[in-house]
Amino acid sequence: AAARIDRMAGHLSPPPASPNAFAEDPVVVVSALRTPICRAKRGGFKDTTPDHLLRTVLEATIERTGIDPASVDDVCIGNVLEPGGGAATARMGQLLAGFPAEVPLSAVNRQCSSGLQAFAHVASAVASGVIEVGIAGGMESMTSTDMSSTMPTVDVDVIKAHPSARDCMMPMGITSENVAAKFGVTRETQDQFAASSHAKAAHAQSQGLFDAEIVPVTVTVPGDDGAAATTAVVAADDGVRPTTTAEKLGKLKPVFKKDGSTTAGNSSQVSDGAAAVLVMRKSKAESLGLPILGALRAYSVVGVPPNIMGIGPAKAIPAAIEKAGLSLDDIDVFEINEAFASQAVYCVQKLGIDVAKVNPKGGAIALGHPLGCTGARQIATLLHELNRTGQRFGVISMCIGTGMGAAAVLERI
């Protein structure tokens, strides 16, 4: 009788997962789209709210894949600056996009990696079997809510007495100056890196290399002096400056420190934008007849000293690559967020990465850095580039305010 019970229990219990199950049926991305990235307060989205940006990219995800929005099990959106963590704003954008109320949503904030963290949350849920289909994304309107309006509520006297906690209040530009000074990244090197970012982005725009990832956004433009509002279509990133040179950048004054090297020209732009990534298992994508852009192979997040937070990618990238069982030489493209040229240059040099592999279509210095959106935007930029070129492995990474770094390894399959 006992043996019979054991046999019955074996039939009722699922067999143990194969150690290679993830490799055989990985978590994949079947759609990765973004809005254009526009200059905060001056660009194409200065009169557009973040819910509309998110709505537009979610609508495009449904339209281009043909997926039934009711079949999406969960949505997670990265955001940094919106009141309430962006949860209500993102939920409204989701519902406006045509998702039924039964499809849940959450928002996540891990500073500049929020869009990537949303992807990690959704991918983990898919991998564990909690959900089958999920959407990860990010949104930010730095026009609507700027960084100075979201200071934390803390006991300042207590914080000041603890060096690391105190450094979490340090302006990001000062952390850039710290990295430049500590690791000897010169002003000239930073300006050359920044000029290269614009040159690469301008070339990519001229060749239509962003077209596959960008969703045009119809916006309302208020009329002047009582005139009626009009509509316009924003279809391209508007922060790219094709005529930028290192010599021109060299004439700009430091912003954060009188004798410093960080300027408005070699820092990321303050921007507005949104992005969305549709995630599921490879087997699910195949059953739905959906194209596969790439698979997640590894994700890592690490902590670093807050006062040099920009070094985060130099720590997170090796950790993620090791988890993927790869080496730095295996990676074809590195999308490293250019929060500041100082820290991006340091990370590339520290890891010995061939600069030709870094941000081949430009980075945040040229394109902009809408905080909560950037990680999801990088996924779209990377995967479409891997598919365009036929390359195999890519990494996205960024530094994170208060002292962290995150990285993910993706593979075109």
Side-chain angles (χ1 to χ4, degrees):
R4 183 170 178 270
I5 291 173
D6 288 341
R7 285 197 301 274
M8 290 177 63
H11 291 310
L12 294 172
S13 302
S18 162
N20 296 316
F22 187 79
E24 295 164 1
D25 193 13
V27 174
V28 300
V29 172
V30 300
S31 173
L33 300 172
R34 67 174 180 94
T35 68
I37 306 301
C38 294
R39 296 173 297 164
K41 303 184 187 298
R42 297 178 296 159
F45 297 146
K46 64 183 178 62
D47 301 304
T48 304
T49 53
D51 57 293
H52 182 68
L53 299 177
L54 181 62
R55 171 189 182 174
T56 300
V57 79
L58 290 176
E59 286 176 336
T61 300
I62 295 169
E63 179 183 346
R64 297 189 186 187
T65 63
I67 195 165
D68 179 0
S71 70
V72 176
D73 298 309
D74 201 3
V75 178
C76 184
I77 302 298
N79 182 262
V80 178
L81 300 177
E82 275 292 293
T89 302
R91 176 64 167 166
M92 288 184 274
Q94 173 208 21
L95 296 172
L96 287 169
F99 286 79
E102 289 74 18
V103 177
L105 177 143
S106 65
V108 62
N109 180 357
R110 199 196 284 271
Q111 307 281 35
C112 301
S113 73
S114 297
L116 177 58
Q117 187 60 56
F119 176 63
H121 280 352
V122 171
S124 295
V126 171
S128 65
V130 172
I131 66 173
E132 276 196 303
V133 178
I135 291 178
M139 64 173 188
E140 203 74 69
S141 172
M142 299 181 79
T143 293
S144 303
T145 313
D146 60 36
M147 295 178 71
S148 64
S149 64
T150 56
M151 296 300 291
T153 303
V154 295
D155 188 326
V156 175
D157 292 334
V158 173
I159 296 300
K160 285 183 176 180
H162 189 289
S164 292
R166 181 190 63 224
D167 287 345
C168 290
M169 305 285 284
M170 183 177 289
M172 292 297 96
I174 297 299
T175 72
S176 171
E177 294 288 5
N178 291 344
V179 170
K182 184 178 179 67
F183 301 107
V185 184
T186 67
R187 168 70 185 271
E188 181 182 16
T189 301
Q190 293 174 59
D191 289 343
Q192 288 172 344
F193 183 89
S196 175
S197 183
H198 282 282
K200 289 184 289 186
H203 174 75
Q205 277 191 331
S206 70
Q207 298 300 308
L209 302 188
F210 292 119
D211 292 354
E213 66 194 71
I214 288 182
V215 177
V217 181
T218 300
V219 301
T220 299
V221 182
D224 294 328
D225 300 322
T230 59
T231 60
V233 176
V234 179
D237 305 315
D238 66 16
V240 182
R241 297 189 292 274
T243 60
T244 295
T245 64
E247 290 72 26
K248 291 179 180 179
L249 293 174
K251 297 176 182 179
L252 299 176
K253 294 181 179 180
V255 177
F256 300 98
K257 191 175 178 183
K258 185 177 179 180
D259 58 347
S261 59
T262 299
T263 72
N266 59 34
S267 304
S268 58
Q269 298 183 43
V270 178
S271 311
D272 307 329
V277 181
L278 181 58
V279 183
M280 60 190 70
R281 285 273 192 178
K282 179 173 179 283
S283 58
K284 181 69 172 180
E286 291 172 341
S287 72
L288 295 174
L290 292 171
I292 295 171
L293 292 178
L296 174 64
R297 289 308 184 193
Y299 169 74
S300 181
V301 61
V302 302
V304 299
N307 67 334
I308 49 172
M309 65 92 203
I311 71 170
K315 302 291 186 181
I317 289 173
I321 289 176
E322 182 179 359
K323 287 181 180 180
L326 301 171
S327 71
L328 281 165
D329 290 339
D330 292 319
I331 307 303
D332 299 301
V333 178
F334 292 84
E335 282 288 335
I336 301 176
N337 190 43
E338 299 166 355
F340 300 97
S342 62
Q343 57 81 211
V345 167
Y346 165 75
C347 292
V348 171
Q349 293 180 345
K350 175 66 176 178
L351 297 177
I353 298 171
D354 179 356
V355 71
K357 293 182 175 184
V358 178
N359 301 347
K361 296 189 287 190
I365 289 173
L367 301 175
H369 178 25
L371 306 179
C373 166
T374 288
R377 192 280 298 170
Q378 288 178 295
I379 293 171
T381 299
L382 173 64
L383 288 179
H384 286 289
E385 180 68 4
L386 291 178
N387 280 271
R388 182 185 72 85
T389 61
Q391 293 170 301
R392 184 177 179 184
F393 290 111
V395 163
I396 68 171
S397 186
M398 68 286 290
C399 57
I400 303 169
T402 70
M404 287 173 277
V409 180
L410 299 170
E411 179 185 8
R412 180 185 64 85
I413 59 173

